[in-house]
Amino acid sequence: MGQPKQERAVQTRLALMRAAAEVFDEHGYAGAGINKILKRAGLTAGALYFHFGSKEGLAEAVMNAQQDTIEPLLESRGLQRLVDITLVWAHQLGADPLLRAGVELSLGHEGFADGAPFESWRELMAGYLREARELGELREGVDPEAVARFVVGACTGVQLYSRQVDSRASLPRRVEEMWDCLLPGIAAPGTAQDFDYGVARGERLSRMREGA
Amino acid sequence: MGQPKQERAVQTRLALMRAAAEVFDEHGYAGAGINKILKRAGLTAGALYFHFGSKEGLAEAVMNAQQDTIEPLLESRGLQRLVDITLVWAHQLGADPLLRAGVELSLGHEGFADGAPFESWRELMAGYLREARELGELREGVDPEAVARFVVGACTGVQLYSRQVDSRASLPRRVEEMWDCLLPGIAAPGTAQDFDYGVARGERLSRMREGA
């Protein structure tokens, strides 16, 4: 009986996070009443406090779930993996309220002022860039830590800009442009075109995820 | 008597914008009472409504003043000019509440949802990138519009990331890292090191500005 109970707990957590994300998305964090979230999830206040302690704890879980909505179904390595994360992220931001709410909360204007979600993306990306270096994919002298830090910042700002001008409709194309600008400077000379960073790849990888 | 009157009007406008920026910086836009702004500026409500129409109009003027705090004293051309804008911007964000408030309001979470400040930076930067192309400074195939759009987004996100992790103390160094990542991909082959994008240049250009 242990396993089903644990599965139910996972599903309850996820139901609360999804409901909270949707309500944050519609009303902002400050305007998201706990009752609205519970009604949307079809769950009780007891479940929320048991799993997250508070609305704040629930918001932190939403912020920290960003990578889990993207990583599990990617199989590429090194530099292509870094590219794939950004492609799927850009595509999914339009479709997935959980990811969207996590990104919004991370920007800090709702009072969540630490940089933990940024640092966590940076660590993940730096790992794939170190792998890329071992695979001989990086231009000599390129620092995986510095590139990871820059890509996290750049993605954050590119999504904000596209949110302001067209509600993120252009975001996948803007991320493709980012790699147009960046890859020639970080990939080993003459290899930038070996990586697939087109909008179509982001769509395809996201569909595989949705179908799973 | 026309000239002094006009000068007084310019100074009144600027005093209101500076006072508003400081109050936005301390209390956020929503929390910035008009009386607080007027008291800080030492001016009357009549002056505010005459020059800006409303608190919203004042905030829009603050948003649109970003370039005026940076451009006037730069003399470089082409790609170095683009670099210089970002260096001085990064340095001044820590020192100049008017610039800082303009950048914060542009992010959209205060309800200013149009992308005008982003588009205005993009147009300015695209102009210098077209100049860079005429000067033979760009790698073949680089699109000035796409690079300008990316640099605006990237700067936005790099400053947000550094705001979250260390209140922007690291921002000048992060902008230097941005150019480490970007210049090899956009400057003509072998010329990236001809451009000066170090933190020290941003400090020096800003000091010239403060001394003027």
Side-chain angles (χ1 to χ4, degrees):
Chain A
M1 292 296 283
Q3 191 53 24
K5 203 170 173 183
Q6 206 179 345
E7 269 172 33
R8 267 204 309 280
V10 169
Q11 286 181 0
T12 301
R13 275 182 66 89
L14 196 60
L16 281 163
M17 286 162 63
R18 281 194 204 281
E22 288 174 19
V23 178
F24 295 162
D25 207 33
E26 289 159 23
H27 303 278
Y29 173 72
I34 283 182
N35 286 335
K36 267 191 208 125
I37 296 170
L38 295 175
K39 197 174 167 192
R40 181 81 52 108
L43 287 162
T44 63
L48 190 154
Y49 294 111
F50 176 75
H51 287 288
F52 300 102
S54 63
K55 177 177 147 188
E56 205 176 331
L58 177 53
E60 268 164 22
V62 168
M63 263 196 292
N64 294 323
Q66 292 175 54
Q67 296 175 5
D68 299 340
T69 69
I70 290 168
E71 275 281 281
L73 289 192
L74 295 181
E75 287 172 353
S76 46
R77 301 170 67 199
L79 202 43
Q80 185 67 55
R81 176 62 162 257
L82 178 68
V83 167
D84 286 347
I85 291 172
T86 64
L87 298 180
V88 172
W89 173 84
H91 186 82
Q92 288 298 115
L93 261 172
D96 183 344
L98 183 55
L99 179 60
R100 198 157 55 229
V103 167
E104 276 297 316
L105 289 167
S106 304
L107 299 180
H109 50 266
E110 300 283 19
F112 295 91
D114 78 7
F118 290 88
E119 299 292 32
S120 154
W121 277 117
R122 178 185 53 71
E123 278 166 30
L124 183 79
M125 290 184 174
Y128 293 123
L129 280 157
R130 285 191 297 269
E131 186 178 59
R133 189 173 53 190
E134 278 159 32
L135 294 167
E137 293 174 345
L138 296 191
R139 185 179 286 267
E140 208 181 335
V142 165
D143 173 5
E145 297 297 327
V147 173
R149 199 154 43 215
F150 177 58
V151 170
V152 171
C155 284
T156 301
V158 165
Q159 84 82 14
L160 247 164
Y161 185 177
S162 82
R163 184 189 75 182
Q164 291 303 92
V165 297
D166 59 19
S167 306
R168 297 198 190 87
S170 64
L171 181 56
R173 176 71 191 108
R174 294 290 95 80
V175 169
E176 188 177 352
E177 267 179 10
M178 173 178 90
W179 291 114
D180 264 334
C181 295
L182 261 184
L183 276 179
I186 64 174
T191 68
Q193 294 308 320
D194 299 347
F195 298 93
D196 181 356
Y197 54 95
V199 168
R201 182 174 172 92
E203 281 171 17
R204 188 161 49 78
L205 290 169
S206 298
R207 265 204 310 277
M208 284 166 62
R209 179 178 171 278
E210 283 151 15
Chain B
M1 294 294 286
Q3 191 54 23
K5 203 171 174 182
Q6 205 179 349
E7 269 172 33
R8 266 203 311 281
V10 169
Q11 286 181 358
T12 300
R13 275 182 67 88
L14 196 61
L16 281 164
M17 286 162 64
R18 281 192 204 283
E22 288 174 18
V23 178
F24 295 161
D25 208 33
E26 290 160 23
H27 304 276
Y29 173 74
I34 283 182
N35 286 336
K36 265 189 210 127
I37 296 170
L38 296 174
K39 197 173 167 193
R40 182 79 53 107
L43 288 161
T44 64
L48 190 154
Y49 293 110
F50 176 75
H51 287 286
F52 301 102
S54 62
K55 176 177 148 187
E56 205 176 331
L58 179 51
E60 268 164 22
V62 168
M63 262 195 294
N64 294 324
Q66 292 175 54
Q67 296 175 6
D68 299 338
T69 69
I70 290 169
E71 275 281 281
L73 289 192
L74 295 182
E75 288 173 352
S76 46
R77 301 170 67 199
L79 203 42
Q80 185 67 55
R81 177 61 161 257
L82 178 69
V83 167
D84 286 348
I85 292 172
T86 64
L87 297 181
V88 172
W89 174 84
H91 186 83
Q92 288 298 114
L93 261 172
D96 184 343
L98 183 55
L99 179 60
R100 198 158 55 229
V103 167
E104 276 298 316
L105 289 167
S106 305
L107 299 181
H109 50 266
E110 301 282 19
F112 294 91
D114 78 6
F118 289 89
E119 299 292 31
S120 156
W121 277 118
R122 178 185 54 71
E123 278 166 31
L124 183 79
M125 290 185 175
Y128 293 123
L129 280 157
R130 285 191 297 268
E131 185 178 59
R133 190 173 52 190
E134 278 159 32
L135 295 167
E137 294 175 342
L138 296 192
R139 183 179 287 265
E140 208 182 333
V142 164
D143 173 6
E145 297 296 328
V147 173
R149 200 155 42 216
F150 177 58
V151 170
V152 171
C155 284
T156 301
V158 165
Q159 83 83 13
L160 247 165
Y161 185 178
S162 83
R163 184 188 76 181
Q164 290 303 92
V165 295
D166 58 20
S167 305
R168 296 197 191 88
S170 64
L171 180 56
R173 176 71 190 107
R174 294 290 95 80
V175 169
E176 188 177 351
E177 267 179 10
M178 173 178 89
W179 291 114
D180 264 334
C181 295
L182 261 183
L183 276 179
I186 65 174
T191 68
Q193 294 308 318
D194 299 347
F195 299 93
D196 181 356
Y197 54 95
V199 168
R201 183 175 172 91
E203 282 172 17
R204 188 163 50 78
L205 291 169
S206 298
R207 266 204 310 276
M208 286 166 61
R209 177 178 174 279
E210 284 151 15

